[in-house]
Amino acid sequence: MRYVLLISVVLTTSLVTAQESYLHAQFRREGERVTDACGTFGFKSIPGCAYTLFTDHPLHIAVGNIAPQNGFGVGGAFVTNYTPNNNWRLSWDVDAVGSTNASWRAGAYMKIIHTPVKNIKVITPTTGATSDNRTKTKKPTVAVRPYTVFNLYAQSISLNKLFFFGLGPSSSEAARSVFGMSQTIVGGSAIKPLGTKLNLSLLGEINGRFVSIRGNHNESSPSIEQLFTEASAPGLRTQPGVVQLGEGVRIKPAFFDNRLELNYLGTFQQYFAPSNSHYSFMRWTVDLGHNFLLYQQTRPVLARDTNGPDECFTSPGAEKCPPVAVSRNLSGSIGVRFLLSESINSATSVVPFYFQPTLGGSDVNGTPTLSSFQDYRFRGPNILLLRESFEHSIWGPFGFEFMADQGTVALNRGDLGFDHLKHSFGTGFTIRAGGFPQIFLLYAWGGGEGNHTTFNMNTTLLGGSYRPSLY
């Protein structure tokens, strides 16, 4: 927490000192927008007022599920930016939320965006003949190539209720234990687009990770140290600080008149524990996403590299988030995802259990996987996941989704395979309203361990960038 407070004070103090009049103008314009949206009391004004209070800037209410089993977080967010010249744009994003079970998250995020004019290209208008042979001039369009983005951040999180069932695919449901975890992440990352037809980008990161594990004796399930030891839960006894490096490649091309969108990501990470090399390891991950759009009129809102987690602007320098439009255009997509992640450690080192990904319910980052199982049900240093999904609009921001997952975890890399995969099916309703955090209500079944209902509100605004992963 002290790292977050320090970077928050440094970033916001320096900005206020240099740009006090600019901040004053931002607050004034937000006050005007809040007055317009909330100035008159009435049933029809409630949605617009709420949308403004939860998405506007510089200040807005921050909400979202902190992590599965840790409650719904409510707090505040401060967002502002500064453009020193035509080539650079700086933005600051500071937020903090707390939940009813005393879990909390606080973070400060800074983006340095390279915005050269050469990245903006105005396409010359063209002319064409209409049905009555009159000449019709099309409006000019503006194409913006992806920007280079540098990120600096400090984030602390404290989670009071996490489940641990043991390691590997054969862990027992009856062996469920409970623990608490705090983690502070201080670091930076960079995204460098190369401007190719494949929409290729190079990624890099460097993080300091400081984890603390504690028992939980306030639940019906036993605390983790009552069922497990250092041998069965590596890292339970001690949690040294870790320096984590990462490199990656991402391609996001589109084919067939932009109907088929690919999102391919490959990363290689190194975790070094300077004070105890026993907890040093490496990990590589391949995440292949395929999304086929059923209609061309509408496109899903994806995370934007130039936004912070509490921003939902459609482009750098935008004044406000997109409105909640009730469109008659249908939207729908079919998705297929393949995820493979493997860890590498020496004969004298281990992968701490708190850095091992999980399948089941939702993981610690809030991502649903094998949703019919309990949260954090299967944990291992190596995971394999296949997902097929179908999403379609119902009316306006409301839609429904169906997904089928197949996946497994493994203690050894050679044990991963397509045999004996766990299965899960899920269906539910989604809400994607302008820049408001995405909401989904999911009912899942088919895993052989009962059913699971999940309600989740994303921790970022729709169109905002992701927070640092907790593993």
Side-chain angles (χ1 to χ4, degrees):
M1 181 65 178
R2 61 181 181 272
Y3 301 101
V4 176
L5 292 177
L6 178 61
I7 196 170
S8 300
V9 170
V10 172
L11 293 180
T12 57
T13 302
S14 62
L15 179 65
V16 170
T17 302
Q19 289 291 321
E20 184 175 3
S21 61
Y22 177 68
L23 269 181
H24 183 273
Q26 283 193 315
F27 278 113
R28 175 180 52 79
R29 289 194 293 269
E30 181 181 17
E32 294 171 352
R33 292 190 292 268
V34 171
T35 300
D36 292 340
C38 308
T40 59
F41 180 78
F43 181 78
K44 293 183 178 180
S45 65
I46 292 177
C49 177
Y51 184 70
T52 301
L53 295 176
F54 283 89
T55 63
D56 214 325
H57 71 291
L59 290 177
H60 67 251
I61 301 171
V63 293
N65 293 75
I66 296 180
Q69 301 297 324
N70 287 273
F72 186 80
V74 179
F78 171 78
V79 175
T80 191
N81 59 78
Y82 172 55
T83 305
N85 53 54
N86 291 333
N87 291 324
W88 295 97
R89 182 178 186 270
L90 313 178
S91 68
W92 292 263
D93 186 334
V94 181
D95 63 11
V97 296
S99 71
T100 54
N101 83 333
S103 297
W104 56 267
R105 185 197 67 243
Y109 314 87
M110 178 181 180
K111 285 187 177 288
I112 305 172
I113 308 169
H114 190 210
T115 57
V117 177
K118 65 180 182 180
N119 276 36
I120 302 176
K121 179 181 179 181
V122 179
I123 300 176
T124 306
T126 59
T127 59
T130 62
S131 57
D132 56 359
N133 293 323
R134 291 183 299 173
T135 300
K136 180 180 179 180
T137 302
K138 297 181 180 180
K139 295 181 179 180
T141 57
V142 179
V144 181
R145 290 186 353 197
Y147 295 124
T148 299
V149 179
F150 301 94
N151 299 287
L152 297 175
Y153 43 79
Q155 175 183 284
S156 283
I157 191 168
S158 178
L159 305 173
N160 289 325
K161 186 179 179 182
L162 298 170
F163 293 153
F164 182 74
F165 298 84
L167 300 179
S170 301
S171 60
S172 171
E173 186 180 13
R176 187 178 78 177
S177 63
V178 189
F179 69 97
M181 180 185 75
S182 298
Q183 182 175 173
T184 296
I185 305 172
V186 180
S189 64
I191 304 172
K192 173 59 179 177
L194 298 185
T196 67
K197 292 183 178 180
L198 292 178
N199 198 6
L200 172 67
S201 297
L202 301 180
L203 314 177
E205 63 178 347
I206 178 171
N207 298 309
R209 294 179 178 269
F210 308 91
V211 177
S212 176
I213 299 297
R214 56 186 180 271
N216 183 332
H217 300 271
N218 300 318
E219 305 294 334
S220 58
S221 298
S223 184
I224 187 172
E225 77 280 0
Q226 296 175 328
L227 295 183
F228 299 94
T229 64
E230 173 68 22
S232 55
L236 180 60
R237 182 179 57 200
T238 180
Q239 302 87 43
V242 170
V243 177
Q244 179 249 308
L245 308 177
E247 309 82 43
V249 177
R250 184 185 67 188
I251 62 173
K252 300 176 68 174
F255 303 100
F256 305 112
D257 198 21
N258 295 325
R259 287 291 189 93
L260 176 61
E261 297 179 337
L262 304 184
N263 188 358
Y264 286 6
L265 175 65
T267 60
F268 183 61
Q269 298 172 301
Q270 307 88 44
Y271 293 72
F272 302 104
S275 63
N276 192 339
S277 60
H278 180 63
Y279 298 99
S280 299
F281 67 99
M282 296 180 288
R283 178 164 60 207
W284 64 268
T285 302
V286 173
D287 192 350
L288 308 179
H290 312 77
N291 196 40
F292 181 78
L293 303 181
L294 300 179
Y295 311 98
Q296 286 185 314
Q297 297 91 338
T298 54
R299 313 187 70 80
V301 178
L302 303 176
R304 298 184 178 93
D305 297 331
T306 54
N307 281 344
D310 295 295
E311 295 179 303
C312 48
F313 307 130
T314 55
S315 62
E319 180 67 22
K320 57 183 179 179
C321 295
V324 181
V326 180
S327 173
R328 294 184 179 181
N329 291 333
L330 295 175
S331 63
S333 63
I334 298 173
V336 177
R337 181 189 182 193
F338 172 79
L339 172 65
L340 176 64
S341 182
E342 295 186 347
S343 298
I344 306 169
N345 58 283
S346 67
T348 59
S349 65
V350 295
V351 182
F353 80 94
Y354 48 83
F355 282 148
Q356 298 185 21
T358 63
L359 296 178
S362 297
D363 66 14
V364 71
N365 295 317
T367 304
T369 56
L370 292 179
S371 300
S372 65
F373 294 90
Q374 296 186 59
D375 296 320
Y376 318 110
R377 177 63 181 86
F378 302 102
R379 185 186 298 261
N382 311 288
I383 67 168
L384 171 66
L385 176 70
L386 295 170
R387 164 169 291 179
E388 305 83 36
S389 62
F390 172 72
E391 186 173 3
H392 203 279
S393 62
I394 299 176
W395 177 82
F398 301 96
F400 76 92
E401 184 173 13
F402 173 82
M403 63 181 67
D405 288 352
Q406 308 88 44
T408 188
V409 302
L411 298 179
N412 301 304
R413 286 181 291 157
D415 294 336
L416 279 181
F418 294 95
D419 298 331
H420 310 295
L421 296 178
K422 310 292 184 182
H423 295 78
S424 177
F425 304 93
T427 187
F429 295 99
T430 63
I431 301 177
R432 301 173 188 261
F436 197 79
Q438 179 186 354
I439 299 173
F440 69 83
L441 176 64
L442 182 69
Y443 174 77
W445 71 95
E449 293 185 2
N451 305 322
H452 190 186
T453 301
T454 302
F455 172 82
N456 185 75
M457 178 180 286
N458 208 320
T459 59
T460 64
L461 296 186
L462 197 60
S465 60
Y466 301 112
R467 302 177 189 275
S469 172
L470 297 181
Y471 60 79

